[in-house]
Amino acid sequence: MKKKVKSFDDWLLVPQYSDIKSRKEIDISSNLSNDIKLNIPIISSPMSTVTEATMCNSIRKLGGLGIIHRYNSINFQTKLLSYTSEEKYKSAAIGVTGDYEERLASLVEAGLKILCIDIAHGDHILMKDCIKHVKENFSHLYIIAGNVSTGEGFQRLTDWGANAIRVSVGSGSICTTRIQTGHGIPTIEAVFECKNFKSKYGLDSKIIADGGIKNSGDIVKSLAAGADFVMLGSMLSGTKETPGKLMYSEDGKKYKAYNGMASKAAQKSWKGSYSSIEGVSSTVPYKGTLSKVLNEISSNIRSGLSYSGCRSIQELQENALFVEQTSFS
């Protein structure tokens, strides 16, 4: 079976009449649940070079959410979680094999409220088993699961009990799943499809666009296509609040490490060995403080909504007009 799909660069949003006189009129908040609200629709990725306690605390102050990565020992991840400040937003990731049950129990003891079940191919029997374990033992937890790239996968994870689902496979800037396995779906295509299934079948899980988001324009397109949130890795990498030391090149330029979690370097650092390699290790220029980066992104999202004449993400999803562009634009 063959199907033609499109990526972020294939789509543009049509500028529409706007009576918005100030960006202050625009609300870019989004609700994870009735009692968990984010003032900006941004979640930092649970990657070892992106999100630990400092990132979690800093992004919360700015209105987003951080999820502590799982590529460490149980004790260390639990300690990191204990350093996060806001009780209702304490978030961390686990896998679906190995020590995940012990890891989960330790995190819950430390106050975990939002659980991210973090695997590359979320439309899988092991995901089903893990969600079942969570629901049976820690039913109070809010569950983020993924990744999936099809409407059917989105529906299955919703039926299993996920509250929010990460959408897209193989789209990340340092993910090589497509090269290594031949599988993947562009993020915006996956969001369109999952949104269609959500509407058609009355599904209530939130959509988190995750992977291949290179700029704030891609964020606006993701939200317009139906995403409730975006998960960012590369756009937040290299900020002061990310883990890892600041390094210097021979000419004095500053940079930090940025590793794909299925890369050889990340796997060896975490478990001392590696198996399937579906990511790469890289460095990125130092970007300064997270507040500088996120304030600029947030301002651009508001500007994007204003071009469609919309004052909220919901209005954008209801009124946005997409056009397909060619390479001759």
Side-chain angles (χ1 to χ4, degrees):
M1 184 182 108
K2 293 191 296 184
K3 177 183 177 182
K4 188 174 182 179
V5 297
K6 302 183 186 302
S7 61
F8 283 119
D9 291 341
D10 296 310
W11 294 106
L12 283 174
L13 288 161
V14 178
Q16 300 183 65
Y17 172 75
S18 175
D19 61 1
I20 299 169
K21 296 181 179 179
S22 169
R23 290 176 183 166
K24 293 179 180 179
E25 299 176 39
I26 299 172
D27 179 7
I28 59 171
S29 66
S30 191
N31 293 337
L32 270 172
S33 67
N34 290 336
D35 62 343
I36 305 176
K37 176 182 178 180
L38 303 185
N39 290 330
I40 58 175
I42 295 172
I43 301 172
S44 67
S45 182
M47 302 171 70
S48 64
T49 50
V50 176
T51 310
E52 289 185 352
T54 300
M55 173 62 76
C56 285
N57 290 329
S58 298
I59 199 169
R60 270 303 308 134
K61 290 178 181 177
L62 296 165
L65 179 72
I67 301 173
I68 293 176
H69 70 89
R70 64 183 174 91
Y71 303 96
N72 44 32
S73 69
I74 293 175
N75 288 339
F76 188 63
Q77 188 185 25
T78 302
K79 183 178 291 185
L80 289 174
L81 185 65
S82 72
Y83 293 154
T84 60
S85 54
E86 290 197 46
E87 288 298 324
K88 185 166 64 172
Y89 296 91
K90 283 182 176 287
S91 310
I94 63 169
V96 297
T97 58
D99 64 8
Y100 83 90
E101 292 185 9
E102 294 83 1
R103 184 177 291 268
L104 175 59
S106 181
L107 292 168
V108 170
E109 186 71 20
L112 181 71
K113 295 296 188 293
I114 300 172
L115 171 67
C116 178
I117 306 175
D118 173 37
I119 59 175
H121 181 29
D123 190 10
H124 195 281
I125 186 65
L126 291 177
M127 174 64 78
K128 181 180 181 180
D129 293 343
C130 183
I131 293 178
K132 180 181 178 183
H133 173 77
V134 176
K135 302 296 282 187
E136 288 177 349
N137 294 276
F138 306 104
S139 59
H140 67 286
L141 291 177
Y142 185 96
I143 300 174
I144 297 173
N147 285 47
V148 304
S149 58
T150 65
E152 292 88 353
F154 185 88
Q155 185 174 27
R156 272 188 284 273
L157 265 64
T158 300
D159 291 342
W160 296 342
N163 302 107
I165 298 170
R166 295 164 69 182
V167 169
S168 186
V169 170
S171 299
S173 64
I174 51 176
C175 175
T176 59
T177 297
R178 295 181 185 181
I179 297 171
Q180 302 297 338
T181 73
H183 287 69
I185 293 289
T187 299
I188 195 165
E189 184 77 21
V191 171
F192 277 132
E193 181 167 337
C194 292
K195 178 62 175 180
N196 287 339
F197 263 69
K198 183 175 177 176
S199 300
K200 182 177 180 179
Y201 297 107
L203 307 177
D204 59 3
S205 291
K206 301 292 185 178
I207 296 174
I208 302 174
D210 174 29
I213 297 172
K214 304 180 296 296
N215 49 57
S216 52
D218 290 345
I219 295 176
V220 176
K221 292 176 189 178
S222 297
L223 297 172
D228 301 286
F229 303 91
V230 295
M231 182 170 279
L232 302 182
S234 64
M235 287 186 70
L236 304 183
S237 66
T239 56
K240 179 181 178 181
E241 290 78 4
T242 57
K245 294 180 180 179
L246 190 62
M247 298 177 283
Y248 295 84
S249 63
E250 291 184 358
D251 58 0
K253 294 181 179 179
K254 301 176 183 178
Y255 61 98
K256 297 187 82 171
Y258 180 50
N259 298 331
M261 297 325 304
S263 67
K264 184 187 297 185
Q267 291 185 65
K268 290 187 73 173
S269 173
W270 166 43
K271 57 185 179 181
S273 62
Y274 63 91
S275 50
S276 173
I277 301 172
E278 295 179 25
V280 297
S281 300
S282 177
T283 58
V284 293
Y286 178 64
K287 298 174 183 174
T289 64
L290 180 70
S291 61
K292 170 180 171 289
V293 171
L294 272 188
N295 286 338
E296 181 177 334
I297 291 172
S298 298
S299 177
N300 289 339
I301 295 173
R302 290 187 175 89
S303 182
L305 267 66
S306 74
Y307 269 81
S308 283
C310 299
R311 288 177 168 81
S312 68
I313 293 172
Q314 182 178 348
E315 281 189 19
L316 179 68
Q317 293 172 349
E318 292 171 352
N319 298 296
L321 299 174
F322 281 94
V323 290
E324 182 182 354
Q325 65 170 340
T326 69
S327 58
F328 303 105
S329 57

